[in-house]
């Protein structure tokens, strides 16, 4: 099998790495090495920033409508090549092809939102704020901005960032995960074909050295990040210390409350899809089922049956429900959590560690395979409850009533996503009002907001003041300027030494 070199993209061209460092890229389904991605040095990051800085003045002066037209062409190309992008995701991440298609579609929706940038950049105007004086505001781009994105959504998460950023007139540097880097170059090629000027969008492959170089570079004005909470905290503190605007989305421990009046079949569907879809490697995955009252004894047999029946296969099999774990290291980490949960006294009802790759299909014997795991009688003191596992592990916690469920969730350090299954309108309203979580679903298991609403959690799931994409994304990638103006004919004579007031 040939090994593909995966390089950088700087100033409109693919550029081979010169650092002498590289990292293997695997097909998680087979365990085989499929590529080698370059790992950028600080000097290579500096070249990308220089290219973006050189392209910024002309791009910032390009009218919003012309920028939008390039995005419209990019949108057309994305729609034409969406399955190619999805196949790249499946080949390097392992998620099933239909899930990868959904990821691409959600990314496309952000591009659709960003094409409306002329409307989104409009300022405010007030005539005659004082005699003969007018006041208005405008939003202008920041300059060079960067995005540091995770392995679990190599297309969608970058699209949370760069379409809005470049539509607003910034130039962009993407530092994708080295685990699945190929989609970044595919998107760069489509942007060039859409007519995006060289240097407006750049890709530096890399690891912590590239991240630190971006955080330290004077010409990088803003950083967007999605990943684990410890790294998000580091990105936020380091970027802010270096005078940058920072938007850092961290980890999660998402709960689904199942009330006694809920439709249990719908709740089971929601839990199975949200816990085991994408092998649980989503920041919005449901990893805790909060079972209220007597619902646990009713729902548990259904959960056991469905977890055991999961179709775990090579992601390119169209009937696959779950693919492999992304890397061998991640597989070991998840295995350790399962072992720890059993030792702490949680009841292990379904153990995914016994799944063998040969059952996933031909050539999968050496892949990073695991089945779904289900725990019952999990308590808040346990490690598997407190920490983000980021794998196909569902923990069930039993609580006596609604108030206890709400307190349990509000006491957790994370506040990314949450869901409640109920038929009771009052319960639904109280849940939405009282829960201290940024994204809430009522009978919706994965409440990822649509493109025009914006994505972000609370507490230690978000560092920074603005959510990703939507109108807050536009505000993040722009700065407001206020202009007050009057003409000589209406300017009073003589110096004024008091604070100006409306007259």
């Amino acid at each position: 099998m040939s090994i593909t070199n995966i390089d950088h993209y700087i100033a409109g061209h693919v550029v081979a790495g010169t650092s002498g460092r590289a990292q293997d890229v695997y097909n998680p389904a087979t365990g085989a090495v499929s590529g080698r991605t370059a790992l950028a040095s600080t000097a290579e990051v500096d070249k990308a920033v220089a290219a973006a800085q050189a392209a910024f003045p002309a791009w910032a002066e390009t009218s919003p409508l012309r920028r939008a037209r390039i995005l419209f062409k990019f949108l057309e190309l994305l729609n034409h090549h969406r399955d190619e992008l999805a196949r790249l995701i499946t080949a390097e991440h392992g998620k099933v092809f239909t899930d990868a298609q959904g990821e691409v579609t959600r990314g496309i929706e952000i591009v659709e939102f960003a094409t409306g940038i002329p409307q989104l950049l409009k300022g405010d105007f007030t005539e005659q704020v004082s005699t003969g004086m007018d006041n208005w505001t405008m939003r202008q781009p920041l300059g060079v901005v960067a995005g540091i994105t995770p392995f679990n959504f190599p297309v969608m998460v970058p699209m949370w960032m760069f379409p809005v950023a470049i539509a607003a007139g910034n130039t962009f540097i993407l530092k994708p995960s080295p685990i699945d880097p190929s989609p970044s170059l595919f998107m760069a090629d489509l942007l060039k074909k859409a007519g995006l000027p060289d240097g407006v969008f750049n890709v530096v492959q890399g690891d912590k050295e590239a991240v630190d170089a971006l955080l330290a570079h004077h010409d990088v004005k803003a950083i967007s990040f999605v990943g684990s909470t410890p790294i998000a905290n580091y990105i936020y503190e380091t970027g802010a210390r270096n005078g940058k605007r920072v938007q850092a989305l961290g980890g999660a421990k998402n709960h689904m409350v199942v009330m006694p009046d809920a439709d249990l079949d719908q709740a089971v569907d929601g839990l199975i899809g949200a816990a085991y879809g994408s092998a649980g490697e989503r920041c919005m995955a449901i990893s805790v089922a909060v079972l209220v009252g007597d619902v646990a004894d009713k729902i548990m047999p259904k959960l056991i049956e469905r977890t055991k029946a999961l179709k775990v296969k090579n992601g390119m099999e169209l009937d696959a429900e779950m693919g492999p774990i992304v890397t061998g290291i991640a597989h070991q980490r998840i295995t350790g959590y399962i072992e720890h949960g059993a030792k702490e006294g949680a009841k292990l009802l379904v153990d995914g560690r016994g799944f063998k790759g040969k059952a996933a299909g031909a050539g999968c014997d050496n892949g990073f395979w695991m089945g779904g795991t289900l725990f019952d009688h999990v308590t808040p003191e346990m490690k598997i409850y407190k920490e983000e596992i980021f794998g196909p592990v569902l923990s069930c916690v039993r609580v006596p009533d609604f108030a206890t469920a709400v307190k349990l969730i509000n006491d957790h350090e994370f506040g990314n996503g949450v869901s409640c299954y109920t038929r009771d309108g009052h319960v639904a309203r109280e849940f939405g009002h009282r829960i201290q979580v940024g994204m809430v679903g009522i009978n919706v298991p994965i409440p990822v907001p649509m493109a025009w609403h914006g994505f972000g959690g609370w507490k230690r799931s978000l560092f920074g003041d603005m959510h990703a994409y939507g109108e807050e994304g536009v505000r993040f990638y722009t700065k407001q300027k206020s202009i007050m103006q009057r003409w000589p004919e209406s300017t009073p004579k003589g110096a004024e030494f008091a604070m100006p007031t409306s007259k």
Side-chain angles (χ1 to χ4, degrees), residues 380-413:
E381 297 77 27
M382 294 179 179
K383 184 177 181 179
I384 60 169
Y385 174 79
K386 292 188 291 186
E387 298 183 12
E388 183 177 36
I389 298 173
F390 223 64
V393 180
L394 178 61
S395 299
C396 296
V397 179
R398 299 179 179 223
V399 298
D401 51 40
F402 176 73
T404 306
V406 170
K407 185 178 188 305
L408 177 81
I409 296 166
N410 287 348
D411 285 346
H412 206 286
E413 66 171 324

Side-chain angles (χ1 to χ4, degrees), residues 5-6 41 91 113 120 128 139 149 174 180 193 253 273 283 311 314 332 359 361 364 393 420 439 446 452 455 489:
N5 289 323
I6 303 160
S41 64
F113 169 79
L120 298 168
Q128 202 77 350
R139 302 206 71 87
T149 58
L174 172 62
D180 43 12
K193 289 176 179 176
K253 195 70 177 179
C283 67
K311 296 177 181 176
N314 186 319
Q332 292 172 14
C364 293
V393 180
C420 179
M439 292 170 283
I446 304 179
W452 51 95
F455 181 103
E489 290 77 10

Side-chain angles (χ1 to χ4, degrees), residues 84-133:
E84 292 169 73
L85 261 179
R87 279 191 284 271
L88 283 176
I89 296 168
T90 298
E92 293 182 350
H93 174 275
K95 69 176 63 175
V96 301
F97 181 64
T98 52
D99 189 20
Q101 288 176 310
E103 173 184 341
V104 175
T105 298
R106 290 304 297 260
I108 285 172
E109 290 169 358
I110 309 297
V111 181
E112 292 172 332
F113 169 79
T115 59
I117 203 65
Q119 166 70 18
L120 298 168
L121 290 179
K122 287 197 308 185
D124 298 315
F125 184 90
T126 302
E127 183 183 30
Q128 202 77 350
V129 293
S130 189
T131 302
M133 185 183 296

